[in-house]
Amino acid sequence: MKTQVAIIGGGPSGLLLAQLLHTRGIDSVVLERKTKDYVLGRIRAGVLEQGLVNLMEEAGCAERLHAEGIPHDGTVISYGDELFRVDFTEYTGTPVMVYGQTEVTRDLYEAHEKANGKIEFNVEDVVINGADTDTPHLTYKVGGETRRLDCDFVAGCDGFHGVSRQTIPLDVRKEYEKVDPVGWLGILSETPPVNHELIYANSPRGFALCSMRNENLSRYYIQCSLSDKPEDWTDEAFWQELKRRIPADQAAKLVTGPSIEKSIAPLRSFVTEPMRWGRLFLCGDAAHIVPPTGAKGLNTAASDVHYLYNGLCEYYENDRTDGI
Ligand code: RFL
């Protein structure tokens, strides 16, 4: 098989890139290690900055986002019982949009399917060959059968645990990492959010975040010990601890309920360079991750996609290489 841009990873970076390239008539094939259901089931980001919203519009995938997303003009920081509001719209001129990553991915997959975009699921053993030549190709397995994909460029959108970054030789690659000595326990519950904007709470008992996905779906987090397991925390224990970390007036109106998802994420900051090696380009979590506390990961991933997409358009449309 041959394509112009081979995309490894069918997460938001990979699918967004594929969809944007499609709008400009540039062919791509996405290779995804997991099943579609698995990818669409992952609960992650929920705060979209304007740059990502613009890209979703450009990709023709923003209709539902505008209908169902909740624009937020600001956010609240609390310390003890004190609240301090930061007005994004006043300071930056743009709000952020609360819309789950699961929904972003779903919209991208729907658009990709509609456009007859090429994607292979359940791929194994992806190997990037000749990334430092003008004729790279990938080999991979599906159901035990080895396949080959020739391409002009490889976009490594395969997240932190993918193969793309590992392909860059160690004498070229530099990695910087900081692992914070705490965990980040998050739950999702079908309850109305405690506040109409996010509350980032600094308390002597540890950090907490009150976030949401929609009017009846809340996402709450508390800092926990790195050795904790999600099953160590009953829903009741979680709610009690959250209430101790947020201002009393917020705790009093917090609506609790059963969790429908509970997980602990490590808090890690990581960046690798270079992000380009020959014809291989890293995008998103493959190149850098930030702790989910900052709600930045998906947005920085989208920024990478923006630059790579524009560089590739310049290359294919105007025969220019300065963009890439
Ligand atoms: P992803 O989402 O990890 O997708 C990578 C895809 O590549 C596939 N893959 C492979 N495919 C083929 N061959 C291989 N060898 C492969 N290896 C991996 C994987 O199966 C997967 O489908 O990376 P991508 O696309 O760069 O997207 C990055 C974002 O997912 C990530 O930055 C955000 O989720 C981070 N993040 C948040 N970001 C925000 O901007 N706002 C938030 O509010 C926010 N909250 C969060 C977050 C991340 C969290 N994590 C990771 C636990 C909350 C949490 C809890």
Side-chain angles (χ1 to χ4, degrees):
M1 196 168 25
K2 182 153 177 38
T3 189
Q4 289 172 302
V5 184
I7 300 175
I8 308 174
S13 301
L15 257 285
L16 180 59
L17 180 63
Q19 205 44 38
L20 286 165
L21 292 175
H22 171 75
T23 62
R24 302 285 277 262
I26 301 169
D27 188 58
S28 69
V29 174
V30 179
L31 302 181
E32 167 55 48
R33 186 172 55 179
K34 302 282 190 185
T35 62
K36 181 176 157 191
D37 285 349
Y38 181 92
V39 174
L40 292 183
R42 273 191 302 230
I43 309 281
R44 286 181 167 183
V47 179
L48 316 185
E49 292 171 9
Q50 195 60 38
L52 174 49
V53 173
N54 293 346
L55 282 179
M56 288 292 283
E57 281 170 4
E58 200 168 340
C61 302
E63 205 174 304
R64 202 161 65 92
L65 189 160
H66 283 302
E68 296 175 20
I70 311 169
H72 277 194
D73 289 320
T75 197
V76 175
I77 294 171
S78 78
Y79 183 72
D81 285 335
E82 259 176 74
L83 292 174
F84 176 81
R85 183 167 183 272
V86 182
D87 193 321
F88 298 149
T89 310
E90 184 187 337
Y91 294 122
T92 71
T94 47
V96 295
M97 185 71 96
V98 172
Y99 189 68
Q101 176 169 334
T102 320
E103 309 308 318
V104 170
T105 315
R106 208 178 105 195
D107 294 344
L108 288 168
Y109 268 89
E110 274 176 15
H112 194 251
E113 268 166 26
K114 227 176 178 177
N116 288 321
K118 287 167 247 164
I119 181 161
E120 295 231 47
F121 292 102
N122 293 313
V123 303
E124 293 175 317
D125 301 339
V126 175
V127 178
I128 304 169
N129 304 281
D132 53 344
T133 70
D134 286 345
T135 51
H137 73 273
L138 308 183
T139 55
Y140 58 99
K141 282 189 189 144
V142 181
E145 181 196 317
T146 302
R147 296 187 187 168
R148 175 179 169 133
L149 176 61
D150 290 278
C151 55
D152 300 333
F153 296 100
V154 181
C157 301
D158 48 355
F160 183 65
H161 301 287
V163 293
S164 300
R165 186 176 68 251
Q166 313 294 344
T167 303
I168 302 178
L170 277 173
D171 58 343
V172 176
R173 183 168 23 121
K174 275 200 192 137
E175 298 187 343
Y176 306 87
E177 183 173 39
K178 181 178 189 311
V179 180
D180 294 294
V182 293
W184 191 226
L185 168 64
I187 70 158
L188 195 64
S189 72
E190 282 168 332
T191 52
V194 66
N195 188 47
H196 70 286
E197 290 178 343
L198 273 64
I199 302 176
Y200 288 87
N202 180 351
S203 109
R205 298 184 66 89
F207 191 53
L209 170 60
C210 305
S211 180
M212 77 274 299
R213 293 293 179 267
N214 61 43
E215 278 96 15
N216 199 41
L217 194 56
S218 297
R219 184 84 168 141
Y220 294 105
Y221 296 95
I222 55 172
Q223 172 187 332
C224 66
S225 163
L226 208 47
S227 58
D228 285 2
K229 307 257 171 304
E231 51 277 18
D232 299 338
W233 284 87
T234 61
D235 288 353
E236 188 49 34
F238 180 91
W239 293 120
Q240 286 304 327
E241 188 55 35
L242 177 66
K243 283 182 184 173
R244 292 188 193 109
R245 298 186 188 190
I246 59 176
D249 61 336
Q250 302 297 317
K253 63 185 173 95
L254 179 73
V255 179
T256 63
S259 62
I260 55 172
E261 198 262 353
K262 194 185 284 168
S263 55
I264 296 183
L267 298 189
R268 180 193 279 130
S269 306
F270 173 90
V271 65
T272 191
E273 62 178 14
M275 284 171 66
R276 174 190 181 177
W277 185 60
R279 290 188 165 232
L280 166 66
F281 296 82
L282 304 181
C283 272
D285 280 17
H288 43 71
I289 50 177
V290 286
T293 44
K296 286 301 285 185
L298 182 61
N299 294 295
T300 50
S303 170
D304 296 346
V305 169
H306 163 84
Y307 288 107
L308 180 56
Y309 155 64
N310 282 294
L312 289 170
C313 290
E314 279 282 285
Y315 176 85
Y316 284 112
E317 292 169 4
N318 303 321
D319 209 14
R320 290 178 61 152
T321 55
D322 43 341
I324 56 171

